[in-house]
């Protein structure tokens, strides 16, 4: 993974927690330092504080799966049951829930 290689510890195949946060932001996942620390602890079974390529892959898979679950949950919450469509009136609310900030349109 290009993003992993650009931010890894020089001479090692690991990412430090702060670097993991940068890589997550590169992929569009903005998290606080505390949230990144929690995520790293979740995949860092050896408790080194660093992420290997395998751990990073596991973390990214979890991030994308969690995001997909949230999208499905929001769609089910706001969809029109008769048409199985998301009414336009609810799109700003859904985007706000997904992105954490109100849409700018």
């Amino acid at each position: 993974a290009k993003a992993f290689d650009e931010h890894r510890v020089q001479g090692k195949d690991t990412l430090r927690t702060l670097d993991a946060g940068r890589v997550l932001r590169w992929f569009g996942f903005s998290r606080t330092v505390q949230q990144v620390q929690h995520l790293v602890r979740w995949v860092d079974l050896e408790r080194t504080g660093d992420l290997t390529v395998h751990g990073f892959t596991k973390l990214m898979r979890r991030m994308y799966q969690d995001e997909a679950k949230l999208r499905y949950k929001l769609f089910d919450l706001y969809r029109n049951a008769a048409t199985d469509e998301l009414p336009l009136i609810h799109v700003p609310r859904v985007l706000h829930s997904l992105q954490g900030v109100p849409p700018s349109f």
Side-chain angles (χ1 to χ4, degrees):
K2 181 181 177 182
F4 184 93
D5 289 340
E6 288 181 7
H7 291 90
R8 66 188 169 103
V9 176
Q10 193 169 23
K12 296 175 80 178
D13 286 332
T14 60
L15 283 178
R16 289 182 291 230
T17 302
L18 287 176
D19 298 321
R22 287 187 191 103
V23 175
L24 286 174
R25 282 190 298 282
W26 191 85
F27 280 101
F29 297 106
S30 181
R31 300 293 186 268
T32 66
V33 173
Q34 292 82 8
Q35 289 170 321
V36 174
Q37 287 171 338
H38 176 76
L39 291 167
V40 169
R41 279 194 303 271
W42 180 75
V43 295
D44 180 22
L45 301 178
E46 298 167 358
R47 302 291 183 229
T48 63
D50 294 337
L51 279 179
T52 62
V53 174
H54 175 73
F56 174 73
T57 303
K58 185 176 179 180
L59 174 63
M60 291 306 299
R61 183 173 46 249
R62 177 184 176 186
M63 299 294 293
Y64 281 112
Q65 286 174 339
D66 288 352
E67 187 177 80
K69 287 177 189 175
L70 179 58
R71 284 193 307 267
Y72 278 108
K73 179 181 173 183
L74 289 169
F75 181 81
D76 284 342
L77 181 65
Y78 291 107
R79 74 182 171 92
N80 179 323
T83 63
D84 207 30
E85 295 175 342
L86 182 66
L88 285 176
I89 193 166
H90 295 306
V91 169
R93 194 172 300 136
V94 170
L95 289 175
H96 185 231
S97 296
L98 288 171
Q99 298 172 347
V101 294
S104 59
F105 57 85

